[in-house]
């Protein structure tokens, strides 16, 4: 337990410090109102207020630095974390900057692809699938494990992004999902999975105040990277039956998102809504 706890603390601390440093540097250098490219990393939130997307690149940079420097990670696991986090984050950033709304959702982008229309979302889906498989290949035993683990990593990246619709929601979901994973890894003294889980959780927690304060959001870059890294940590911790259950859960939630609004489901449940509103500005009466 001692090694797992030590590596978890170190990974979380490095991730948090690096993410905060990256966010401060990125926002200081961001174009000011009236300057060229000022709106590139700015979006309008659910209140109609301007908000920066630079939290996403800050998360990717912070978790990437932590994955490279955190103690306790074998070379292959370290490379897998860098590929999963930075790869999915870069593809998410591409969609943030150049994405269109002509096609929406997993099904919409793949349907457009069958018509010969290559959307930014399709590029991201296929790219994250490839980086997920690449990362999985570095930590898996054989082709079957690689396919299952790659699907979990890629699916988790996509699923996390589906929750990034309200302040702090994607990070809260990440903390709620990753917290038990981290605790189990520490208690069973599994230093690799403990470090892999701690890195994104530390980086995400450090950026949560700005997300909740509606000054910044993860965007596709940050949410995709958060989900991919937690998925990678999960596949290094769980046995095959557990990974299959996780994959089925991720697939079911992704399919449900095509028909059901997660925001409406959360708002209609007292417990979920209380968690969703925790730390947020009150909703306007209108």
């Amino acid at each position: 337990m001692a090694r797992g706890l030590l590596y978890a603390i170190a990974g979380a601390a490095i991730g948090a410090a690096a993410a905060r440093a990256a966010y401060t540097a990125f926002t200081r250098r961001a174009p000011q109102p009236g300057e060229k490219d000022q709106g590139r990393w700015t979006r309008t939130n659910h209140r109609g207020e301007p908000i920066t997307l630079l939290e996403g690149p800050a998360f990717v940079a912070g978790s990437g630095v932590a994955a490279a420097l955190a103690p306790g990670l074998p070379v292959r696991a370290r490379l897998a974390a860098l590929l999963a986090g930075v790869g999915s984050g870069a593809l998410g950033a591409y969609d943030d900057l150049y994405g269109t709304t002509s096609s929406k959702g997993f099904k919409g982008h793949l349907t457009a692809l069958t018509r010969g229309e290559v959307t930014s979302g399709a590029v991201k889906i296929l790219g994250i699938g490839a980086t997920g498989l690449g990362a999985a290949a570095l930590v898996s035993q054989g082709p079957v494990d690689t396919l299952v683990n790659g699907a979990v990593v890629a699916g988790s990246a996509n699923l996390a992004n589906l929750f990034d619709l309200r302040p702090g929601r994607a990070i809260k979901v990440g903390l709620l999902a990753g917290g038990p994973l981290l605790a189990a890894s520490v208690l069973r003294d599994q230093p690799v999975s403990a470090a892999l889980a701690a890195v994104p959780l530390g980086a995400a927690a450090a950026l949560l105040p700005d997300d909740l304060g509606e000054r910044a959001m993860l965007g596709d870059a940050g949410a995709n990277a958060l989900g991919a890294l937690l998925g990678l940590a999960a596949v290094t911790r769980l046995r095959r039956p557990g990974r299959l259950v996780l994959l089925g859960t991720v697939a079911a939630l992704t399919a449900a998102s095509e028909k059901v609004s997660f925001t409406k489901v959360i708002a209609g449940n007292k417990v979920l809504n209380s968690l969703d509103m925790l730390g947020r500005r009150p909703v306007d009466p209108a």
Side-chain angles (χ1 to χ4, degrees), residues 9-183:
I9 292 173
I14 297 171
R20 285 307 312 178
Y23 181 73
T24 299
F26 291 164
T27 52
R28 279 180 181 171
R29 291 177 172 83
Q32 299 302 307
E35 295 181 355
K36 184 180 179 181
D37 294 333
Q38 184 270 328
R40 173 167 293 202
W41 291 99
T42 302
R43 295 294 182 272
T44 301
N45 69 3
H46 67 290
R47 296 182 193 269
E49 299 171 351
I51 189 170
T52 182
L53 285 172
L54 289 171
E55 179 187 338
F59 174 84
V60 175
S63 58
V65 168
L69 300 179
L73 288 177
V75 173
R76 292 176 70 88
R78 200 178 298 278
L79 291 175
L82 287 168
L83 179 57
V86 177
S88 59
L91 288 158
Y94 167 75
D95 200 29
D96 281 332
L97 295 178
Y98 303 106
T100 64
T101 58
S102 58
S103 298
K104 293 184 178 182
F106 196 88
K107 180 180 179 181
H109 291 298
L110 293 184
T111 299
L113 193 61
T114 62
R115 299 195 303 264
E117 179 185 351
V118 181
T119 65
S120 59
V123 171
K124 186 181 74 167
I125 290 170
L126 296 176
I128 288 178
T131 57
L133 281 173
L138 291 166
V139 297
S140 302
Q141 301 293 325
V144 175
D145 266 358
T146 297
L147 287 174
V148 172
N149 294 346
V152 169
V153 173
S156 298
N158 179 67
L159 181 60
N161 192 39
L162 298 177
F163 286 99
D164 192 36
L165 296 175
R166 291 295 184 272
R169 182 182 292 171
I171 293 179
K172 288 177 183 177
V173 170
L175 294 174
L176 288 171
L181 173 65
L182 175 60

Side-chain angles (χ1 to χ4, degrees), residues 123-265:
V123 171
K124 186 181 74 167
I125 290 170
L126 296 176
I128 288 178
T131 57
L133 281 173
L138 291 166
V139 297
S140 302
Q141 301 293 325
V144 175
D145 266 358
T146 297
L147 287 174
V148 172
N149 294 346
V152 169
V153 173
S156 298
N158 179 67
L159 181 60
N161 192 39
L162 298 177
F163 286 99
D164 192 36
L165 296 175
R166 291 295 184 272
R169 182 182 292 171
I171 293 179
K172 288 177 183 177
V173 170
L175 294 174
L176 288 171
L181 173 65
L182 175 60
S185 300
V186 170
L187 290 173
R188 293 180 178 272
D189 198 23
Q190 296 177 312
V192 173
S193 55
L196 286 174
V199 162
L201 293 180
L207 296 169
L208 182 58
D210 289 277
D211 206 311
L212 288 173
E214 302 188 23
R215 295 180 291 276
M217 64 181 290
L218 284 175
D220 288 15
N224 286 151
L226 174 60
L229 287 169
L230 289 176
L232 179 66
V235 300
T236 64
R237 166 69 185 85
L238 300 172
R239 297 182 183 274
R240 184 180 290 181
R243 283 179 274 137
L244 290 172
V245 170
L246 176 58
L247 178 57
T249 302
V250 169
L253 288 172
T254 302
S257 71
E258 299 284 342
K259 302 291 184 181
V260 178
S261 167
F262 286 171
T263 295
K264 289 183 179 180
V265 172

